[in-house]
Amino acid sequence: MDLLLDIPFPAPFNIGEIDFTIVDIETAADSIAVGTRSSVNNTASPTTDPYPVAATPLQPTDPATRDASMVTLSVSDWPINNGFWVFSEAELLQYLIAASSVPASFPIQLNTDSFNEVAPALDKAYPDTTMELLLAIPKGFTEVAKIVDGVGINVTDLPLQFNFSVFPNNGTNSTAAFSLQCPATASTTASVNASGGASQVIYLEITELACTPLTVISSEFGNITTDGLDMLISGLLTSVVLPELNKFIGNGFALPSIDGVSLTSSAITPVNGTLKISSDISWDPSSFMARHQKLASHKGK
């Protein structure tokens, strides 16, 4: 049973793994409880920058929920926050929005003429000039994700920066213009489905994404006002960033599996501050034995 699972993100985001190493087992008259580490690691440097928040032990699953299915998996918000930490420390939580990505219907485009009231000195220095926007989540934040009963995963007070740049003379090299920041919030639902094999996959979908109020971090072109920028930021988050994020996480996150053992009739419920995944088990002993006979034969050689 492979207890180290790669997080299925494309390069350069393919640095993460989830460690399901078993750390304790408790038996009762009618159940077995298995605890796992459930930490997210940077595969390039798994011992660097460990998440600085201690994990809180999970409360036992109530009997009514536990007995409704053969297996119940409980996931707290700790590994979710741990994952945020790993990718932020690796400076990978960034997203570049080019001028061409902004829908033509938006009242504000990534062009200095659109910012003549927000940053008049910028428009004066570079009139009718192309701009770009880098969204970045800085290092150092903790515990922004919470599992909300009956809802899913909510993120609050996630620090988000908006770094605007300008291309002098509409060239190819950009220069910093001004930067804003705000606390971002997001709502995410979770579901679980079979992948077509023995594995069950948790799928996440971000349903809401917002960031307010905006404040100025820095400016290379004098005073900046945030008046009117809320519409641009809200529109970009909803129309550009949200679909891209959902596409990025669309492959889901596979749960551990064993040859010959399949999880069936699975359901996922946010309850008591955890995501509870309930499943029944289908076991094919012939497939299980065939694998171990093959392993034994290989060891014999």
Side-chain angles (χ1 to χ4, degrees), residues 288-301:
F288 180 83
M289 293 305 298
R291 171 177 169 80
H292 285 272
Q293 288 172 357
K294 182 178 181 180
L295 288 174
S297 174
H298 179 73
K299 290 181 179 179
K301 295 179 181 180

Side-chain angles (χ1 to χ4, degrees), residues 96-104 109-111 130-133 236 240:
L96 184 66
I97 300 178
S100 58
S101 301
V102 181
Q109 297 292 307
L110 286 178
N111 182 288
T130 301
M131 300 175 66
E132 69 180 7
L133 170 59
L236 290 177
V240 178

Side-chain angles (χ1 to χ4, degrees), residues 49-85:
D49 294 326
Y51 184 51
V53 177
T56 302
L58 290 176
Q59 295 298 314
T61 301
D62 65 278
T65 301
R66 182 197 68 197
D67 297 341
S69 56
M70 295 180 182
V71 175
T72 301
L73 306 177
S74 298
V75 181
S76 73
D77 54 37
W78 188 87
I80 300 170
N81 286 303
N82 180 192
F84 268 127
W85 175 268

Side-chain angles (χ1 to χ4, degrees), residues 40-171:
V40 177
N41 307 319
N42 184 331
T43 55
S45 52
T47 60
T48 303
D49 294 326
Y51 184 51
V53 177
T56 302
L58 290 176
Q59 295 298 314
T61 301
D62 65 278
T65 301
R66 182 197 68 197
D67 297 341
S69 56
M70 295 180 182
V71 175
T72 301
L73 306 177
S74 298
V75 181
S76 73
D77 54 37
W78 188 87
I80 300 170
N81 286 303
N82 180 192
F84 268 127
W85 175 268
V86 166
F87 285 96
S88 66
E89 290 299 301
E91 298 183 326
L92 289 174
L93 298 184
Q94 300 183 1
Y95 182 71
L96 184 66
I97 300 178
S100 58
S101 301
V102 181
S105 59
F106 274 30
I108 300 178
Q109 297 292 307
L110 286 178
N111 182 288
T112 54
D113 283 358
S114 294
F115 292 82
N116 57 356
E117 294 184 3
V118 173
L122 172 64
D123 186 37
K124 184 177 180 179
Y126 300 107
D128 192 20
T129 303
T130 301
M131 300 175 66
E132 69 180 7
L133 170 59
L134 177 66
L135 276 64
I137 298 175
K139 297 180 180 181
F141 63 90
T142 58
E143 298 185 282
V144 295
K146 294 292 182 185
I147 296 174
V148 179
D149 291 4
V151 176
I153 304 167
N154 282 1
V155 173
T156 57
D157 294 327
L158 179 66
L160 182 57
Q161 296 180 358
F162 300 85
N163 302 313
F164 290 85
S165 299
V166 62
F167 291 87
N169 304 315
N170 287 315

Side-chain angles (χ1 to χ4, degrees), residues 1 36 50 100-101 138 141 148 152 169 194 207-208 220 224 226 236 244 264 268 280 295:
M1 186 173 184
T36 70
S100 58
S101 301
F141 63 90
V148 179
N169 304 315
T207 57
E208 296 181 18
E220 302 299 323
I224 302 293
T226 59
L236 290 177
E244 288 297 318
T264 63
I268 186 167
D280 290 334
L295 288 174

